Amino acid sequence: MNENTLDDAGRNIMSFLVRILGFFLLLAGLWVAIQVLLTAQDLYAHPEKIERFAVAIEKGSNIDKSLIPIRDSLIVNSDSGNGVQQYSETENISSSVGTGNIRVSYFFAWVIALLLLLLIARISLTAIKTGGELVLYDLQIKQFARMLAKESQKTRD
């Protein structure tokens, strides 16, 4: 009899700890999901905030600087009357934002930021789901046990 009460107490303590862990996991997932939504809304309202990320991508990869020769090879030498700027080989071409400059790192920054937001949102939704299942674990087991008892009663009758 003493072993049964000790086993029941151990089971109850573990069940309580699992529920508490699940509850904290659920709250953490909700907090992260809300932060992702607020970050996405902030990027929508202030798209210039992605610029810092684009600069970091450019510093790490030098993608804009490496694409300048390709861009220059595509520019056709023409008259100055049509508005196409001509570059000589000795001119230093900057990768700063200008009227004719397209910065690939800026678009990469948007793609990477959106993919990261989606990944973090997916992780938070998984944490919410897992936390909810841990919180409701005991209830699901009891429902399953009741269903098994009803099925065994039907087969006996």
Side-chain angles (χ1 to χ4, degrees), residues 66-78 82 84-87 93 100 102 104:
S66 64
L67 291 177
I68 287 175
I70 296 171
R71 185 189 69 196
D72 288 344
S73 68
L74 295 175
I75 294 177
V76 179
N77 290 336
S78 64
N82 63 2
V84 175
Q85 186 177 3
Q86 297 179 5
Y87 298 107
I93 303 168
I102 295 176
V104 176

Side-chain angles (χ1 to χ4, degrees), residues 16-79:
F16 179 73
L17 290 177
V18 166
R19 282 182 158 187
I20 292 295
L21 178 71
F23 184 70
F24 284 123
L25 190 61
L26 178 79
L27 289 179
L30 283 172
W31 183 76
V32 170
I34 289 170
Q35 291 299 316
V36 166
L37 286 173
L38 291 176
T39 303
Q41 183 184 12
D42 190 44
L43 281 175
Y44 180 74
H46 306 287
E48 65 274 359
K49 289 188 176 186
I50 202 76
E51 184 68 30
R52 186 175 63 181
F53 197 52
V55 168
I57 289 174
E58 173 57 24
K59 281 183 182 179
S61 67
N62 291 326
I63 192 160
D64 292 337
K65 290 178 184 175
S66 64
L67 291 177
I68 287 175
I70 296 171
R71 185 189 69 196
D72 288 344
S73 68
L74 295 175
I75 294 177
V76 179
N77 290 336
S78 64
D79 297 333

Side-chain angles (χ1 to χ4, degrees), residues 70-135:
I70 296 171
R71 185 189 69 196
D72 288 344
S73 68
L74 295 175
I75 294 177
V76 179
N77 290 336
S78 64
D79 297 333
S80 62
N82 63 2
V84 175
Q85 186 177 3
Q86 297 179 5
Y87 298 107
S88 67
E89 299 215 8
T90 58
E91 284 181 331
N92 186 10
I93 303 168
S94 68
S95 65
S96 64
V97 177
T99 57
N101 293 338
I102 295 176
R103 295 181 46 214
V104 176
S105 63
Y106 184 78
F107 296 107
F108 281 171
W110 272 107
V111 169
I112 291 170
L114 291 176
L115 287 175
L116 284 174
L117 284 173
L118 286 172
L119 177 67
I120 295 168
R122 176 73 177 139
I123 292 170
S124 71
L125 289 176
T126 303
I128 291 169
K129 180 181 180 266
T130 304
E133 286 176 354
L134 288 176
V135 168

Side-chain angles (χ1 to χ4, degrees), residues 140-156:
Q140 291 173 348
I141 294 296
K142 286 180 181 177
Q143 287 177 351
F144 183 67
R146 283 188 208 123
M147 186 177 66
L148 284 177
K150 285 180 185 178
E151 288 296 320
S152 67
Q153 285 291 337
K154 286 180 183 178
T155 57
R156 286 183 188 172

